Amino acid sequence: MSNTAEIKVDGKCYELPLVEGSEKEKAIDIGKFRAQSGIITLDYGFKNTGSTQSAITFLDGEKGILRYRGYSIEQLAEHSSFLEVAYLLIFGELPSKEEFESFKDEITHHTLIHEDFHTILEGFPSAAHPMGVLSSLVTAMTAFYPKSMDPNRSWDEVRLSIIRILAKLPTLAAFSYKNKIGHPVMYPNNKLDYCSNFLHMMFGLPSQDFEANPVVTDALDKLLILHADHEQNCSASTVRIVGSSQASLYASISAGINALWGPLHGGANQAVIEMLENIKADGGNVEKWMDKAKDKDDPFRLMGFGHRVYKNFDPRARIIKKAADDVLAALGVNDPVLDIAKGLEEVALRDDYFVERKLYPNVDFYSGIIYRALGIPTEMFTVMFAMGRLPGWIAQWREMRENKEPIGRPRQVYVGKTERDYVPMGNR
Ligand code: CMC
């Protein structure tokens, strides 16, 4: 096969290098195309544009494949743990027993946050959405750890910043929830594993002992694994682009949290439950809502359906759908919205509109139902996604830094007014 591609414009041919990935994906490297031709490429929403060559996550949307560092999501969800997956994503290989023990130990010993965080937390009105609070608190970490602001410091210092955010994000998330509901915060308990500790900080009370149900801990761990990375999605690209200006890890992650918040991205998990609740309150007429989703004059979209990359099925959704059944059965929860979700899926999978556009349930369609069964409040769903995605963002940020990638700066085609003379309007 030739290792170049040709682009012909106005009769002139430009030869451009072809790049091939380890899974035989091909790309035309257009990096020097403008310098040669004066022409840029235009691609709204980067639907066909690779922004980097990455060794972290492989995704084949047609075949429904998702692998972290070469390991399938199915095997990781079944056999691994969230912290092991975090290590794999960030450091590139599965940890040995000793490496893993010391990694867990480090994380456990950095879970506490500075007491002054309480003052910041108290400044938020109780109506504040936990995603806004979380992104603010992550930015605030730069104030408590000023050395973290310079990403060019030694690897040991960068590594410490990584450990700190992995350790403290669940604490920040749980503290903001407690603050919102007006309960005293629960300090981290170093005897507990990552997920049990989070549940203890979320649901524990000083006046009574709290022990997480192992079904809940395992389900949470699995959900975090499924969300841990997803290559160059909106929030990962945001993290990389913010980091490319040499902004700090915490500033980049905070930006990622904000990108994730939107309902077309991670915010979909909250939107799905709200949608299912609306359908239930409206009498549960699934067909009526399907018609709304198909009506181009109606802004309503079937939340939790469709994906930019997956065009056959989302492998995470398959695992989550099964987990939803298992978790609800194990906890003895009977949630009527699960039936509505299954009804919607069944109708959508047979409907021409959805079939033609290759729209299938995505990871967020069933995740909210599990979070709800676990007792996680709806507004915290996207925070759970952020906790899961954190290792992916860190891995993407680290790779971008180590590849020495240039500052992210797309071009544009200007379509505004051409030059015109200023006419005083009498406003001075
Ligand atoms: N309901 C109804 N129609 C839809 C939906 C939907 N959920 N998703 C896409 N379409 C239609 C869309 O109207 C368009 O139709 P047409 O070709 O007639 O104009 C066609 O399908 C292609 O849609 P698109 O918006 O061009 O596709 P995209 O790749 O830009 O968007 C998406 C992908 C995920 C933003 C979109 O499918 C969507 O809005 N889904 C609902 C929100 C959601 O569940 N987001 C979570 C994504 S998975 C979690 C994550 O990793 O972020």
Side-chain angles (χ1 to χ4, degrees), residues 176-198:
S176 32
Y177 171 64
K178 287 287 196 187
N179 188 60
K180 185 179 172 69
I181 59 170
H183 283 190
V185 298
M186 289 297 286
Y187 285 95
N189 179 345
N190 285 0
K191 292 198 187 96
L192 299 175
D193 63 71
Y194 199 77
C195 286
S196 306
N197 190 32
F198 173 69

Side-chain angles (χ1 to χ4, degrees), residues 84-116:
E84 191 188 48
V85 165
Y87 187 102
L88 171 70
L89 286 167
I90 297 167
F91 301 106
E93 294 294 341
L94 287 170
S96 66
K97 228 173 166 18
E98 297 72 47
E99 284 167 334
F100 191 46
E101 285 310 312
S102 93
F103 179 62
K104 279 196 296 190
D105 199 56
E106 277 183 288
I107 301 247
T108 305
H109 286 94
H110 281 282
T111 46
L112 202 59
I113 56 172
H114 195 289
E115 284 294 298
D116 286 353

Side-chain angles (χ1 to χ4, degrees), residues 47 264-265 296 301-302 304-305 308 353 357 362 364:
K47 289 198 175 197
L264 298 191
H265 192 9
K296 294 287 167 203
R301 274 191 169 202
L302 199 54
F305 255 79
R308 169 62 59 79
Y353 175 97
R357 289 169 181 76
N362 60 49
D364 287 326

Side-chain angles (χ1 to χ4, degrees), residues 267-281:
N269 56 15
Q270 176 175 342
V272 168
I273 284 290
E274 287 166 353
M275 171 188 82
L276 295 173
E277 283 290 358
N278 281 341
I279 298 176
K280 186 172 140 252

Side-chain angles (χ1 to χ4, degrees), residues 14 74 315:
Y14 301 91
E74 289 81 6

Side-chain angles (χ1 to χ4, degrees), residues 234-267:
C234 176
S235 58
S237 301
T238 300
V239 167
R240 285 182 91 119
I241 212 163
V242 171
S244 76
S245 74
Q246 303 206 357
S248 73
L249 174 66
Y250 300 152
S252 308
I253 299 291
S254 173
I257 293 172
N258 285 322
L260 187 74
W261 192 357
L264 298 191
H265 192 9

Side-chain angles (χ1 to χ4, degrees), residues 5 7 15-19 27-33 36 53:
I7 296 185
E15 202 169 88
L16 299 164
L18 270 181
V19 177
I28 303 171
D29 179 351
I30 50 122
K32 298 206 167 74
F33 184 49
Q36 294 167 358
Q53 296 188 54

